[in-house]
């Protein structure tokens, strides 16, 4: 159990009035959680302090060798004004798996959950009320040792910041256009694809930039070895429904981020009797299935969009329209069920919801 100290802010920010203009990742709340680590001492000085700049020495390890990690989850306000999280245990498990890969010390799961809940409770008035809005929670860790030379740091800073975010589908669910990246790769076997680290996203920027220039929302990454199998989309895992089989790329090779939404979609689908396979999925299999009219639908899954139908896939310059560019029945069902549980509109038979406090 952490003994969290609290430092009162001198002034508080004005909260956004117009919840339709929240967007994503632009507005941050009044406070942040922080805790330090030092080898031999462990994690220490848990505190909730006014949100503000972090002062670091220019030689800090994080600036040069990118020893850092992050997570992303949301707090939801229910219609009867309760504040809740969705499967935070999954994010915390992933945090520790990322830490292990990045030589960052492990954290006590109960401490991380306590820190998230404590900060969300302090900032509960920042959680928007409108349909589909939420409070995005961004925990992250940076290596703070001051030296040049490629070695794991002996000191770290753990921080949690919060950002009220708007409804992803304010204008209704819109299928997205995705382009298959044929030149660059995001992850390779043995690399850091399964971990949530900034370096993965830095390496993906060039592909994302190319995609946007061509009018596509995101990139579909192929495996880094054969360039043949589907890995995932920029910030989403992917599902393809072929002949009624719901297929999502296997996590076994360690090059795909194990999404919390992905796991929830699989559990939800299996509970309803759908045939779900986690297996290698060649791009060619998708292309042929589409050609033969056996590709029923495709969608991405992630915390931001929950489920995002893929309406168009560009493979080597050829456009493949999926399900007439409309949301498919499986994506619709998953979206309704998952958002229903997250915003407390329907019962939670899986016990995925973690209550925080009254709103
Ligand atoms: C690369 C990548 N894949 C998949 C996901 C989906 O993961 P989750 O469902 O945990 O949000 C994300 C989301 O952050 C991501 O960045």
């Amino acid at each position: 159990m952490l003994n969290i100290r609290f430092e009162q802010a001198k002034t508080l920010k004005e909260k956004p009035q117009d919840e339709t203009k929240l967007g994503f990742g632009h507005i941050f709340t009044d406070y942040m959680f922080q805790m330090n680590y030092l080898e031999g001492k462990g994690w220490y000085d848990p505190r909730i302090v006014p949100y503000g700049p972090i002062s670091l020495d220019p030689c800090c390890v994080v600036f040069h060798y990118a020893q850092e990690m992050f997570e992303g989850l949301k707090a939801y306000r229910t219609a009867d004004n309760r504040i809740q999280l969705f499967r935070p245990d999954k994010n915390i498990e992933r945090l520790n798996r990322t830490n292990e890969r990045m030589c960052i010390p492990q954290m006590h799961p109960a401490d991380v959950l306590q820190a998230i809940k404590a900060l969300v409770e302090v900032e509960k008035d920042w959680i928007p009320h409108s349909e589909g809005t939420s409070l995005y929670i961004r925990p992250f860790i940076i290596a703070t040792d001051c030296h040049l030379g490629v070695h794991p740091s002996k000191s770290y800073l753990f921080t949690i910041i919060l950002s009220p975010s708007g409804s992803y589908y304010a204008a209704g669910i819109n299928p997205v256009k995705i382009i298959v990246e044929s030149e660059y790769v995001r992850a390779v076997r043995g690399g850091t694809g399964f971990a949530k680290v900034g370096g993965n996203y830095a390496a993906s920027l060039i592909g994302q930039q190319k995609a946007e220039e061509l009018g596509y929302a995101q990139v579909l990454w192929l495996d880094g070895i054969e360039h043949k199998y589907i890995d995932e989309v920029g910030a989403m895992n992917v599902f393809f429904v072929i002949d009624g089989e719901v297929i999502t790329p296997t996590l076994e090779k360690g090059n795909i981020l194990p999404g919390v939404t992905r796991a929830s979609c699989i559990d939800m689908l299996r509970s309803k009797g759908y045939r779900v396979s986690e297996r290698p999925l060649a791009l060619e299999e998708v292309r042929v299935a589409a050609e033969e009219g056996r590709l029923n639908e495709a969608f991405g899954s992630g915390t931001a969009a929950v489920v995002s139908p893929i309406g168009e896939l560009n493979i080597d310059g050829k456009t493949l329209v999926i399900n007439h560019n409309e949301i498919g029945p499986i994506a619709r069902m998953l979206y309704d069920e998952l958002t229903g549980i997250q915003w407390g509109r329907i019962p939670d038979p899986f016990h995925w919801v973690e209550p925080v406090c009254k709103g």
Side-chain angles (χ1 to χ4, degrees):
M1 184 86 174
L2 297 174
N3 188 9
I4 303 173
R5 73 178 165 85
F6 180 73
E7 189 185 317
Q8 183 77 45
K10 290 199 178 70
T11 53
L12 295 182
K13 300 172 192 168
E14 205 173 305
K15 296 193 179 57
Q17 294 301 310
D18 186 352
E19 294 191 351
T20 63
K21 296 212 171 77
L22 288 173
F24 177 78
H26 301 296
I27 302 163
F28 295 91
T29 67
D30 292 305
Y31 292 95
M32 60 187 178
F33 176 92
Q34 290 191 310
M35 180 158 68
N36 295 80
Y37 178 92
L38 189 60
E39 197 174 88
K41 185 169 179 179
W43 292 101
Y44 68 95
D45 194 16
R47 56 201 184 269
I48 292 176
V49 293
Y51 180 99
I54 297 172
S55 175
L56 291 171
D57 194 297
C59 72
C60 266
V61 168
V62 63
F63 293 135
H64 306 278
Y65 310 113
Q67 196 193 6
E68 63 87 52
M69 64 79 59
F70 67 97
E71 263 303 327
L73 67 162
K74 285 174 171 176
Y76 307 84
R77 186 188 294 279
T78 66
D80 59 355
N81 212 17
R82 287 171 292 117
I83 308 302
Q84 55 190 37
L85 306 172
F86 182 73
R87 308 190 78 178
D89 51 315
K90 285 276 182 195
N91 293 89
I92 296 167
E93 273 170 28
R94 189 169 67 189
L95 172 147
N96 271 326
R97 282 199 305 273
T98 300
N99 284 10
E100 187 184 7
R101 179 64 179 81
M102 299 304 284
C103 301
I104 297 172
Q106 294 287 292
M107 301 192 78
H108 214 294
D111 290 351
V112 182
L113 184 62
Q114 186 194 344
I116 293 171
K117 285 171 123 178
L119 183 64
V120 168
E121 183 159 6
V122 164
E123 297 289 55
K124 64 182 182 180
D125 292 345
W126 280 89
I127 305 179
H129 293 73
S130 320
E131 170 101 25
T133 59
S134 57
L135 185 69
Y136 185 75
I137 304 166
R138 167 56 60 88
F140 64 101
I141 304 172
I142 55 173
T144 51
D145 269 11
C146 285
H147 59 71
L148 299 183
V150 186
H151 305 287
S153 182
K154 292 180 179 10
S155 63
Y156 297 88
L157 176 65
F158 173 67
T159 304
I160 307 173
I161 54 175
L162 304 175
S163 175
S165 57
S167 171
Y168 195 88
Y169 290 115
I173 296 185
N174 239 334
V176 286
K177 288 169 68 174
I178 306 275
I179 186 164
V180 177
E181 174 52 57
S182 53
E183 184 182 0
Y184 302 106
V185 295
R186 174 189 177 274
V188 289
R189 204 171 305 173
T192 54
F194 71 92
K196 206 153 168 69
V197 300
N200 291 343
Y201 298 84
S204 76
L205 290 174
I206 193 164
Q208 180 64 27
Q209 194 179 43
K210 222 170 89 181
E212 283 170 19
E213 277 165 17
L214 294 169
Y216 289 84
Q218 287 197 36
V219 170
L220 179 73
W221 297 101
L222 299 180
D223 79 275
I225 296 173
E226 292 177 80
H227 234 88
K228 182 173 160 191
Y229 295 99
I230 292 171
D231 272 357
E232 61 184 318
V233 168
M236 292 190 290
N237 296 110
V238 278
F239 290 77
F240 290 84
V241 186
I242 300 178
D243 284 331
E245 177 192 11
V246 187
I247 310 159
T248 190
T250 171
L251 300 178
E252 269 168 19
K253 291 185 209 144
N255 46 346
I256 296 175
L257 192 81
V260 177
T261 323
R262 175 189 181 278
S264 310
C265 287
I266 293 172
D267 291 348
M268 176 66 74
L269 286 164
R270 291 201 172 129
S271 78
K272 291 181 181 292
Y274 287 88
R275 193 154 49 96
V276 185
S277 308
E278 294 178 76
R279 64 168 172 85
L281 177 62
L283 179 63
E284 185 60 9
E285 183 180 341
V286 170
R287 204 191 53 73
V288 170
E291 227 173 64
E292 295 174 355
R294 294 183 292 108
L295 176 61
N296 313 130
E297 60 178 293
F299 53 90
S301 70
T303 297
V306 189
V307 166
S308 178
I310 300 173
E312 234 185 87
L313 195 61
N314 181 312
I315 308 176
D316 290 331
K318 289 203 192 85
T319 300
L320 203 148
V321 176
I322 304 172
N323 192 38
H324 315 289
N325 213 352
E326 282 169 15
I327 181 167
I330 294 180
R332 164 58 71 189
M333 179 280 288
L334 286 170
Y335 180 81
D336 289 346
E337 294 280 322
L338 294 180
T339 56
I341 292 173
Q342 288 166 339
W343 274 277
R345 288 190 297 266
I346 61 173
D348 170 27
F350 303 94
H351 306 292
W352 283 339
V353 158
E354 174 74 32
V356 177
C357 59
K358 279 174 70 79

